Amino acid sequence: MRSPSTEPSAHKTNLIRDYLEHVNSQPAPPRRWPREVWVKYADKLEDFKDGNNNREALLCLNEMVTDALSHGLDCLQYMASLQDPANLRFCAIPQITALGTLAMCYNNVEVFRGSVRLRKGLTAKILDVKTMPDVYGAFSDFTGLLCDKIGFVLVTLPYTMSQMGFAWGSAASVLYGLIGSWCVYLLVWLYLEFKSRVDLQGKVRPENYIVQYHEVIGELTGRGGRKITYFYIILTLFMASIICVVAS
């Protein structure tokens, strides 16, 4: 018998995957997407079928998927406690299938056009699961797919802009351009001020010497500013590396 610990994940996954089937059913089925979630993005649940509402539809979908994923740890802990391999396999296959389906559904507008299903090759691979290491491996594969999708959304600015709609996307692009231009202006001004001070002090630097940000700030603000800037550069590079790893 399947544990209550694993039931919510499978139930929510089926609810997410079968959106179109549910909204087109007459009479409406008793189990539908929770109103407290979709009402934040649309007046009616059926509005997500409209291609003009893709942005709101995907935001709602991603919130639903994120909520369903919150049961993953409970599922793993329960399955790890099972001693009988047959019981483990009985519980594991639906849960891995649910996770794979959630990974396929995340940020996927096809949920609102038809039903999203796992490919036959993935399904066959899931059916080969027999032990907990197999379960961990399958969970790792599908969470990796989710990370790829999340990373894609994070680091592809044009895609993100397209989800905002033409007006908001255009406004955000102009804003980013203005901020970027202002930053370039400040950097050029700081460098020129730094160069003039160095020239006045008569300091000689090697030919083709590349000036670093922390040197410029340090010259203008003192050692404290140099250290803060140096730390900021390291932190920025570290965060950029994390984003690249997530997106890769």
Side-chain angles (χ1 to χ4, degrees):
M1 182 176 180
R2 199 170 299 156
S3 165
S5 300
T6 63
E7 284 293 342
S9 176
H11 165 64
K12 290 181 178 180
T13 300
N14 293 336
L15 208 60
I16 293 169
R17 181 197 62 199
D18 298 331
Y19 161 84
L20 195 63
E21 178 183 336
H22 290 166
V23 297
N24 289 337
S25 296
Q26 294 296 335
R31 294 182 176 181
R32 292 160 63 94
W33 284 24
R35 178 180 174 81
E36 59 269 21
V37 176
W38 63 258
V39 76
K40 294 186 287 186
Y41 305 100
D43 295 328
K44 296 184 297 182
L45 183 59
E46 292 77 8
D47 290 347
F48 294 141
K49 293 191 298 180
D50 188 346
N52 295 323
N53 297 325
N54 281 351
R55 174 177 174 269
E56 291 76 12
L58 288 177
L59 288 173
C60 183
L61 171 63
N62 292 346
E63 181 174 344
M64 291 281 292
V65 171
T66 302
D67 176 69
L69 289 171
S70 66
H71 301 283
L73 183 58
D74 290 337
C75 293
L76 282 174
Q77 290 175 341
Y78 173 75
M79 288 186 287
S81 69
L82 298 176
Q83 303 298 321
D84 187 344
N87 288 339
L88 171 61
R89 192 167 184 272
F90 177 76
C91 289
I93 290 176
Q95 294 310 310
I96 298 172
T97 302
L99 178 59
T101 302
L102 291 174
M104 297 291 292
C105 288
Y106 186 85
N107 212 57
N108 187 353
V109 75
E110 290 302 315
V111 172
F112 307 100
R113 307 289 180 265
S115 184
V116 176
R117 304 285 179 180
L118 289 174
R119 298 191 304 272
K120 291 183 179 180
L122 288 176
T123 303
K125 186 177 179 180
I126 292 172
L127 293 176
D128 286 337
V129 169
K130 297 177 181 178
T131 64
M132 272 310 294
D134 294 338
V135 174
Y136 290 136
F139 265 62
S140 177
D141 290 341
F142 285 124
T143 51
L145 175 59
L146 274 166
C147 287
D148 289 343
K149 286 192 169 187
I150 295 170
F152 177 78
V153 173
L154 285 175
V155 302
T156 51
L157 190 59
Y159 176 82
T160 304
M161 294 297 185
S162 70
Q163 299 304 307
M164 297 172 64
F166 179 79
W168 283 106
S170 299
S173 297
V174 171
L175 178 62
Y176 278 122
L178 291 174
I179 293 174
S181 299
W182 177 248
C183 289
V184 171
Y185 167 77
L186 289 178
L187 290 173
V188 171
W189 182 87
L190 287 173
Y191 173 74
L192 292 176
E193 179 67 20
F194 166 79
K195 189 174 183 302
S196 65
R197 292 193 184 188
V198 170
D199 291 342
L200 287 175
Q201 295 171 6
K203 294 181 179 179
V204 179
R205 295 186 179 274
E207 188 177 356
N208 298 326
Y209 180 79
I210 299 176
V211 179
Q212 305 294 321
Y213 287 129
H214 64 277
E215 293 181 87
V216 175
I217 301 299
E219 180 66 33
L220 299 177
T221 63
R223 290 184 177 180
R226 179 193 294 265
K227 291 179 180 179
I228 292 174
T229 306
Y230 197 66
F231 173 77
Y232 174 77
I233 292 172
I234 294 175
L235 180 63
T236 302
L237 292 174
F238 176 71
M239 296 302 296
S241 300
I242 291 177
I243 293 176
C244 289
V245 169
V246 170
S248 62

